[in-house]
Amino acid sequence: MATSSLGQTEINWDKLDKTKFYVLGAGIFTGVTVGLYPVSVIKTRLQVATKDTAEKSASSVIRGILKTDGVPGLYRGFGTVIIGAVPARIIFLTALETTKVTAFKMVEPFKFSEPTQAALANGIAGMAASVCSQAVFVPIDVISQKLMVQGYSGHEKYNGGLDVARKIIRIDGIRGFYRGFGLSVMTYSPSSAVWWASYGSSQRIIWR
């Protein structure tokens, strides 16, 4: 760890134990994903349901999934998400910490207050990290969503994530993996910037 000119303890990226950093970060992310993934499956099915679909509410979707597929049905596409999202999370954390170091150097000459400098540096880092990670997150999201709704409400059935990927490439090419990429960046990058800016400035205010 190293102390910056802001008077606070910052992560020294060069001296950081990256193995522990990545293992801990990936582990926490995986745990959260396990808990929340069924919610994504239910939400996605509700979004693609037609007016003729019998399942009109979250509770009816859950009952339908449990009846036809059991608990594993709530985790359709989960393997694909974990395989792709762990590298994406590593990209996010790497971009966040490395960009944050550069961003602090950029804002220091302006002599803003410590909370403002921290908010700007963390906000820039959060936005940059989100943009970088979306390059991996979006293709994984496209594949996992197709797996979530396969065979439901007239949607095509697949033999796993690789089958989805092959069919996307055959029909749409590589561009098919990036449907909605622009909207994802527009949605998640600003929210990531706001979150990390708030986190950084709050640290400075609380630790004074």
Side-chain angles (χ1 to χ4, degrees):
M1 306 291 283
T3 303
S4 73
S5 61
L6 293 179
Q8 302 294 340
T9 302
E10 295 294 336
I11 291 178
N12 187 319
W13 181 249
D14 294 329
K15 296 180 180 180
L16 179 68
D17 186 334
K18 296 179 180 62
T19 299
K20 291 182 179 179
F21 180 71
Y22 288 131
V23 169
L24 182 60
I28 292 173
F29 172 73
T30 301
V32 172
T33 303
V34 169
L36 296 180
Y37 192 80
V39 177
S40 295
V41 173
I42 296 165
K43 175 180 70 71
T44 302
R45 287 209 173 193
L46 285 173
Q47 289 175 335
V48 301
T50 63
K51 63 179 182 179
D52 298 323
T53 303
E55 298 166 350
K56 301 295 185 181
S57 65
S59 59
S60 62
V61 170
I62 294 172
R63 287 195 298 270
I65 291 174
L66 294 177
K67 182 178 179 180
T68 57
D69 301 315
V71 174
L74 295 172
Y75 287 89
R76 279 189 173 183
F78 180 76
T80 300
V81 167
I82 290 300
I83 290 172
V86 169
R89 184 58 55 178
I90 290 174
I91 291 172
F92 181 93
L93 293 172
T94 303
L96 178 72
E97 294 301 332
T98 54
T99 305
K100 193 186 300 182
V101 172
T102 302
F104 267 115
K105 292 178 181 178
M106 290 172 55
V107 301
E108 280 182 341
F110 293 99
K111 303 301 180 182
F112 295 124
S113 64
E114 288 182 7
T116 301
Q117 287 191 40
L120 290 172
N122 279 272
I124 292 170
M127 179 173 287
S130 180
V131 172
C132 292
S133 62
Q134 287 305 311
V136 179
F137 270 128
V138 171
I140 294 302
D141 203 34
V142 169
I143 294 172
S144 65
Q145 286 184 355
K146 286 183 177 292
L147 290 172
M148 288 178 188
V149 301
Q150 63 174 326
Y152 177 75
S153 191
H155 288 272
E156 185 176 356
K157 289 187 177 182
Y158 302 95
N159 294 316
L162 289 177
D163 186 37
V164 176
R166 283 194 294 267
K167 289 181 177 178
I168 289 175
I169 290 175
R170 188 177 71 242
I171 297 172
D172 299 316
I174 297 298
R175 292 179 60 183
F177 289 112
Y178 288 92
R179 285 186 174 180
F181 179 77
L183 289 175
S184 293
V185 169
M186 290 173 61
T187 300
Y188 294 111
S189 294
S191 62
S192 180
V194 171
W195 196 97
W196 285 103
S198 301
Y199 172 77
S201 61
S202 297
Q203 279 186 316
R204 297 311 188 279
I205 294 171
I206 294 172
W207 290 351
R208 278 183 170 179

